[in-house]
Amino acid sequence: MINSDYLNNLNNAQKEAVLYLDGPLLIVAGAGSGKTKVLTSRIAHIIKEKRAFPNQILSVTFTNKAAKEMQTRVSKMLGSTATSLSWLGTFHSICAKILRKHATAANLNSNFTIIDTDDQIRLIKNICKSENIDIKQLSPRFILAIIDRWKNKGYYPYEVVVNNKDIYEKTILPLYKIYQQKLIDLNSCDFGDLILHTVKILENYPDIRQIYTTNFKYILVDEYQDTNFIQSKWLNLLSEKTKNLCCVGDDDQSIYSWRGAEIKNFLEFDQVYENTKVIRLEQNYRSTQNILSVASNLISNNQNRVGKTLTTTMEEGDLVKLNCFKNGKDEAIGISDEIEKKLKKKYSFNEMAILVRAIFQTREFEERFLKIGMPYRILGGTKFYERAEIKDCVAYLRLIHQEKDDLAFERIVNNPKRSIGDTTLKIVHEFSKENNLSLESAANKMLEQNLIKPKTKIGLSFFLNALNKWRNDLKIKKISHIKLLQIVLDESGYSAMLKNKKDLDNENRLENIKELLSAMKEFENLESFLEHVSLATSIDQEWDGEKINMMTMHAAKGLEFDVVFLPGWEEGLFPHQKSIEEKGQNGLEEERRLAYVGITRAKKKAIISFSMNRFYQGDWIDSMASRFIDELPEKYIEKNSFFEEEVDDDKDFDFNQDFEIDEGTRSPGWIRYQKRIK
């Protein structure tokens, strides 16, 4: 039963965006303007008006988190009808779904593995070794970045035209050819392949393309400003019949060019799609007017933008603070003082965030917070599924699922230690290459032919026999994927390896594995779980506990906090010198968009700061205030009195102010921390 109230509480622009159903639509959605509400209401309206069945609507997001949020909201509107929204997900998950149905058209089997970055690096290392490429001179990560760039442009190896002046491209192209063939041989894809293969299938097989262009009556895309060429091409192919493509985004928040995002997809949308309707969502529901005025004034200095003016019905609020400090240490002290003041005004740690341009900037704050016992978290650190013990567990499951997964075989054949060293692996590799076999099949053949040393033979035989037993447990005995992992951990000796050495790290690893087993309960089978792991993104993190949030401004996109601190607004750091050097005016405009994103994360208070000196790469350097500070409107800015030394009385004594006593430097925060840890 559809809740008919979905049009209520929409402003005029939002309602217009929901009701417009014929032809291409570009929704220019300013920060905090309710774009998710518009997208979900639009889906409900399409279904209510019987313009399409739920399975005829393609709704695309960039992250699993965004897809989940959209699914939840739509469910509230549509009830049980929402369960049939089978084409709501990320670019990669939807392409994986299409590709599995038509895998043979890409020379793959439908049970192909989606490999992660670590597996990609190991594969490239192996290729470099066989091709006598010195990875100290040409790193695997750099090679993969170039390959990914080609894939984002829609190029298979044979389609790449190298820049003859670029020695790196000339070297990397042959590696790309080998790498891509290896992926096919392994029945594997990397993330870039999911979209690239799908686009090539749609281009080269009109009958397959017709299936989807006929089925998808409406296509909705979130964060369109972050799309790259191949994603835009995919959307163009799928929408060619109905032209009912609705893209939502904000060109002023386009900050991912380094990932391949092309802002021109957004800026030229109405040129690519004839008769495009453009609707601007300019009412902000997040920030105070003063914060919006500062952000709008700053971004107005960009030339390449659609343009909009954000307004709010909220109060004017406090002026945006601009603080100057002597050095980075003083900046950290000043911000920790400010945090303490906000705590006294009943703000919580979770409601505050420090947003930096570069991750190294967190060091000063970490040191300060550790000293005074202030809890903090850094977002954008190691993801759950990237932790070594988790990757080991997943590798065991991947190899059980697919015998040809050489990358998983390499990771766990000697983990725990089974006397199977690098020399043995090298021999197995050579045998597999000569006989065109997977590593597992090669190892079995070598054991049959007695080509393995006696000491190694014991460990390798145990491992291969165990694999066969576990596959039998899964396929014949039909045990659950959860029970399977428990058996694997026990019978492989992995659990014992962690338990036998009692230290904090191993205890944490065991707790992580317990959490993994809990997570697996959400999936029906092993295949769906493995696909979820492959498609998990860095942004999809769960938070718990009261802590100050620290992250880069890039990582903060899509988030909001009551209080936002924006330190390090200095030339060379922000805007970043490298960005300007490499991209010129385009780089400067993207940096300004990043500043806009940072400011508009704040709901109630924004505090910008810079220091006159900063300790950087082992040296003190003099700093100049960022050019962006000159672009902040004086009318909405409150500056600190840096050159007017003020001494607070006891009542106003800053909580974190250091002072000297006989035993060394102490502070009230330091004393609090000592009490806490006793």
Side-chain angles (χ1 to χ4, degrees):
M1 181 69 182
I2 298 175
N3 186 344
S4 59
D5 294 336
Y6 63 89
L7 290 177
N8 294 346
N9 301 317
L10 295 177
N11 62 41
N12 291 336
Q14 290 174 331
K15 193 174 292 184
E16 185 184 8
V18 169
L19 297 177
Y20 187 84
L21 299 181
D22 297 306
L25 173 64
L26 182 68
I27 303 174
V28 185
S33 61
K35 63 181 177 64
T36 305
K37 181 193 285 188
V38 168
L39 281 173
T40 51
S41 299
R42 186 174 166 86
I43 291 172
H45 187 65
I46 291 168
I47 296 170
K48 182 176 181 293
E49 293 298 306
K50 296 183 170 55
R51 301 292 289 266
F53 294 109
N55 65 357
Q56 294 176 317
I57 301 172
L58 172 62
S59 187
V60 192
T61 67
F62 270 87
T63 67
N64 294 323
K65 182 180 177 183
K68 190 175 180 180
E69 182 184 357
M70 192 172 291
Q71 182 71 55
T72 302
R73 291 200 189 190
V74 173
S75 295
K76 289 181 180 177
M77 293 181 185
L78 302 182
S80 60
T81 309
T83 58
S84 53
L85 285 168
S86 52
W87 294 100
L88 192 162
T90 65
F91 278 97
H92 292 108
S93 66
I94 291 170
C95 281
K97 187 175 179 178
I98 294 173
L99 188 56
R100 290 201 187 278
K101 292 184 178 182
H102 311 285
T104 54
N107 296 316
L108 294 166
N109 297 323
S110 60
N111 68 334
F112 61 80
T113 299
I114 305 168
I115 66 171
D116 63 12
T117 303
D118 281 358
D119 286 334
Q120 287 180 274
I121 289 171
R122 281 196 290 131
L123 184 55
I124 287 292
K125 282 181 177 177
N126 291 337
I127 294 169
C128 288
K129 194 172 183 179
S130 65
E131 297 299 310
N132 296 314
I133 302 293
D134 186 357
I135 60 174
K136 292 180 180 177
Q137 297 294 321
L138 197 61
S139 77
R141 287 188 182 276
F142 180 76
I143 294 169
L144 285 169
I146 300 298
I147 290 173
D148 192 54
R149 187 176 76 192
W150 284 330
K151 289 187 177 184
N152 288 340
K153 294 287 186 182
Y155 299 145
Y156 276 143
Y158 63 85
E159 297 173 305
V160 173
V161 179
V162 298
N163 180 358
N164 288 322
K165 295 181 180 179
D166 192 330
I167 188 171
Y168 296 117
E169 285 196 1
K170 290 169 69 176
T171 306
I172 293 170
L173 181 56
L175 302 179
Y176 181 21
K177 291 176 181 175
I178 299 169
Y179 171 77
Q180 208 60 20
Q181 187 57 54
K182 282 281 187 184
L183 288 177
I184 297 295
D185 294 342
L186 293 167
N187 192 36
S188 297
C189 291
D190 61 20
F191 272 68
D193 284 333
L194 293 175
I195 303 179
L196 179 60
H197 287 329
T198 304
V199 165
K200 295 298 184 182
I201 289 169
L202 294 174
E203 283 185 319
N204 298 328
Y205 296 87
D207 54 331
I208 295 175
R209 183 166 78 248
Q210 189 175 3
I211 295 170
Y212 295 98
T213 57
T214 302
N215 181 71
F216 295 140
K217 306 296 184 186
Y218 288 90
I219 300 174
L220 296 85
V221 187
D222 193 14
E223 304 287 4
Y224 186 67
Q225 78 282 346
D226 294 334
T227 55
N228 57 34
F229 172 84
I230 198 69
Q231 290 164 337
S232 178
K233 179 73 174 176
W234 180 69
L235 292 167
N236 186 264
L237 288 165
L238 291 176
S239 63
E240 67 175 12
K241 189 172 182 178
T242 67
K243 304 296 183 183
N244 289 330
L245 175 63
C246 169
C247 292
V248 183
D250 184 2
D251 53 315
D252 289 336
Q253 296 187 67
S254 179
I255 58 175
Y256 295 126
S257 67
W258 50 279
R259 289 184 186 170
E262 297 191 6
I263 192 173
K264 72 175 184 179
N265 291 342
F266 194 96
L267 298 177
E268 298 175 3
F269 185 90
D270 59 346
Q271 299 171 36
V272 175
Y273 298 94
E274 291 184 5
N275 302 315
T276 292
K277 175 78 169 177
V278 180
I279 298 174
R280 289 171 171 80
L281 305 183
E282 297 178 305
Q283 187 167 340
N284 176 284
Y285 294 93
R286 175 188 298 153
S287 307
T288 64
Q289 187 58 59
N290 282 334
I291 290 171
L292 293 181
S293 296
V294 169
S296 296
N297 201 89
L298 177 68
I299 200 64
S300 68
N301 290 277
N302 274 5
Q303 296 176 2
N304 296 311
R305 59 192 295 261
V306 174
K308 60 185 175 299
T309 303
L310 293 182
T311 59
T312 182
T313 56
M314 297 175 64
E315 60 186 18
E316 285 191 355
D318 293 341
L319 297 174
V320 173
K321 281 192 175 182
L322 176 61
N323 295 332
C324 173
F325 295 99
K326 184 170 64 177
N327 53 49
K329 183 179 178 181
D330 282 358
E331 186 176 44
I333 292 172
I335 288 176
S336 64
D337 285 344
E338 197 70 42
I339 292 170
E340 288 290 352
K341 292 174 183 176
K342 296 294 182 284
L343 288 171
K344 292 174 182 176
K345 293 181 179 180
K346 307 304 180 184
Y347 288 98
S348 72
F349 284 119
N350 281 349
E351 292 169 335
M352 293 183 274
I354 299 171
L355 310 183
V356 296
R357 174 59 181 87
I359 198 65
F360 78 84
Q361 291 175 256
T362 66
R363 184 185 65 84
E364 295 271 20
F365 298 102
E366 289 188 68
E367 290 183 1
R368 184 65 190 169
F369 294 163
L370 286 169
K371 182 177 182 181
I372 66 173
M374 187 171 282
Y376 69 92
R377 63 168 68 87
I378 296 179
L379 276 73
T382 305
K383 294 188 297 179
F384 180 77
Y385 289 110
E386 289 181 350
R387 295 169 188 171
E389 64 277 11
I390 303 301
K391 291 180 75 68
D392 291 342
C393 292
V394 172
Y396 270 105
L397 295 173
R398 276 173 42 184
L399 189 56
I400 292 167
H401 178 62
Q402 197 204 153
E403 298 176 24
K404 294 173 69 176
D405 196 333
D406 285 359
L407 299 170
F409 181 96
E410 282 184 317
R411 184 177 184 94
I412 50 135
V413 67
N414 198 40
N415 187 12
K417 301 292 184 186
R418 302 185 180 96
S419 301
I420 307 168
D422 291 341
T423 304
T424 302
L425 267 177
K426 185 180 178 182
I427 296 168
V428 175
H429 260 290
E430 290 171 353
F431 189 90
S432 74
K433 192 175 181 180
E434 290 168 5
N435 296 276
N436 196 27
L437 296 169
S438 69
L439 291 181
E440 184 181 343
S441 297
N444 275 307
K445 282 284 186 186
M446 292 177 75
L447 284 173
E448 291 172 11
Q449 298 175 20
N450 206 27
L451 299 175
I452 302 293
K453 292 179 180 179
K455 185 180 178 183
T456 303
K457 188 175 181 179
I458 297 170
L460 190 57
S461 297
F462 167 83
F463 177 68
L464 294 172
N465 290 333
L467 280 175
N468 290 328
K469 189 264 182 184
W470 297 329
R471 287 179 185 132
N472 185 71
D473 288 341
L474 181 67
K475 295 175 183 177
I476 307 301
K477 293 186 178 180
K478 302 292 184 181
I479 67 168
S480 72
H481 52 300
I482 302 155
K483 183 65 178 176
L484 175 66
L485 180 56
Q486 292 172 324
I487 291 170
V488 169
L489 290 168
D490 289 337
E491 294 181 356
S492 68
Y494 197 94
S495 294
M497 175 184 72
L498 296 180
K499 290 174 182 175
N500 289 341
K501 188 178 180 181
K502 291 290 184 181
D503 63 33
L504 183 60
D505 286 342
N506 278 354
E507 287 176 9
N508 287 337
R509 291 183 184 111
L510 285 167
E511 287 299 318
N512 287 335
I513 291 173
K514 290 176 184 176
E515 185 61 27
L516 177 66
L517 288 164
S518 298
M520 291 173 69
K521 294 177 182 177
E522 299 178 14
F523 301 90
E524 291 182 9
N525 52 47
L526 180 58
E527 185 175 5
S528 62
F529 168 71
L530 290 175
E531 183 152 311
H532 168 77
V533 172
S534 300
L535 297 173
T537 66
S538 61
I539 293 175
D540 299 333
Q541 290 186 346
E542 296 296 328
W543 302 353
D544 60 349
E546 285 283 321
K547 296 175 183 178
I548 286 288
N549 302 287
M550 280 198 286
M551 70 202 83
T552 64
M553 281 180 271
H554 283 102
K557 189 170 173 293
L559 305 178
E560 59 183 41
F561 305 92
D562 284 348
V563 183
V564 170
F565 297 91
L566 298 154
W569 281 43
E570 298 137 29
E571 280 295 304
L573 181 55
F574 193 45
H576 204 282
Q577 188 64 32
K578 185 180 177 183
S579 183
I580 296 174
E581 287 176 354
E582 292 182 352
K583 302 175 189 174
Q585 183 64 25
N586 289 336
L588 177 61
E589 292 207 354
E590 182 159 340
E591 291 287 296
R592 191 176 283 112
R593 291 195 292 270
L594 192 56
Y596 174 85
V597 167
I599 294 170
T600 55
R601 298 313 92 197
K603 295 196 290 184
K604 298 178 181 179
K605 300 181 187 295
I607 300 100
I608 299 168
S609 60
F610 66 97
S611 60
M612 298 170 65
N613 298 277
R614 192 166 294 278
F615 196 69
Y616 183 65
Q617 295 186 348
D619 292 308
W620 284 102
I621 59 170
D622 293 333
S623 304
M624 282 180 62
S626 168
R627 69 188 74 187
F628 297 155
I629 287 174
D630 291 334
E631 297 171 1
L632 303 177
E634 294 268 349
K635 183 180 177 182
Y636 306 108
I637 295 293
E638 176 189 354
K639 298 179 180 179
N640 71 331
S641 304
F642 177 72
F643 297 104
E644 298 176 15
E645 293 290 336
E646 296 182 359
V647 180
D648 293 335
D649 58 28
D650 291 340
K651 184 179 179 182
D652 296 326
F653 186 85
D654 284 342
F655 186 89
N656 301 311
Q657 180 70 45
D658 291 337
F659 59 94
E660 296 290 332
I661 61 175
D662 292 341
E663 298 176 9
T665 303
R666 296 289 188 269
S667 71
W670 186 92
I671 296 168
R672 175 182 66 180
Y673 184 54
Q674 297 307 304
K675 291 178 180 177
R676 181 180 295 174
I677 63 176
K678 285 180 180 178

